[in-house]
Amino acid sequence: DGVEFAGSHPIAGSHKTGLDAAHPRLYENSVTVVTPGARSSKYAIEKVSSLWQAVGSKVICLPPAEHDRLLARSSHLPHLAAAALTNTVCRPGEHSISSFCGTGFYDSTRIAAGSENLWCDIIRTNQSALLKELDGLVDQLQQVRLAVSQGDWDSLKKWLASARELRESLNRVNQEGLNE
């Protein structure tokens, strides 16, 4: 009784955990999603929002299900993709592959170094939304596989150009120095 709740999720940080990973400007210029429940009062939403704004975060209010859908695509799917790429490239019994891995590999797989306990919990709690996003990734991989297997270089070039254009169009939140 007397306790009000409004969920929130700061979109900030890195794959590192613990006190050594603390950063004094972690929330500056980040986004925090406030996810009010059906019984969250306007007061609780404003208090939680003002807390995040006070530490420099931009607040976006979304229903919890919309938050889960968007984070399955923008956070949980990339984590699984990075883990899959790492497990594929670094498979046991292979020649010492690290000598052949450049910055592209390390950029693409940095988040695979995150805590498996944390990520298993995240994936478990957002399973249904994530499964839909995994289907989308599988479809993309099947498209590129078909183009490569058929030697359809025009389709492959269009697929790669689309990815480049989409990536260049992203408005990245400034998290200078946090991802290193």
Side-chain angles (χ1 to χ4, degrees), residues 15 78-87 105-116 119:
H15 63 284
H79 187 86
L80 290 180
L85 184 59
T86 302
N87 283 329
F105 175 78
Y106 290 103
D107 289 348
S108 301
T109 60
R110 176 188 58 80
I111 58 176
S115 164
E116 64 276 7
W119 278 99

Side-chain angles (χ1 to χ4, degrees), residues 56-123:
S57 187
K58 175 185 173 188
V59 172
I60 299 173
C61 283
L62 290 176
E66 181 69 0
H67 161 273
D68 291 352
R69 184 185 71 77
L70 292 171
L71 270 290
R73 181 177 296 174
S74 64
S75 174
H76 311 159
L77 179 68
H79 187 86
L80 290 180
L85 184 59
T86 302
N87 283 329
T88 301
V89 171
C90 301
R91 58 186 171 264
E94 190 65 41
H95 185 274
S96 178
I97 199 72
S98 63
S99 298
F100 304 96
C101 293
T103 56
F105 175 78
Y106 290 103
D107 289 348
S108 301
T109 60
R110 176 188 58 80
I111 58 176
S115 164
E116 64 276 7
N117 293 323
L118 171 71
W119 278 99
C120 194
D121 286 345
I122 289 169
I123 292 162

Side-chain angles (χ1 to χ4, degrees), residues 152-171:
D152 186 351
W153 311 124
D154 288 337
S155 290
L156 179 64
K157 190 174 183 179
K158 288 177 187 171
W159 186 83
L160 291 167
S162 173
R164 178 185 46 76
E165 290 165 7
L166 289 168
R167 178 61 176 94
E168 288 175 352
S169 72
L170 288 177
N171 291 325

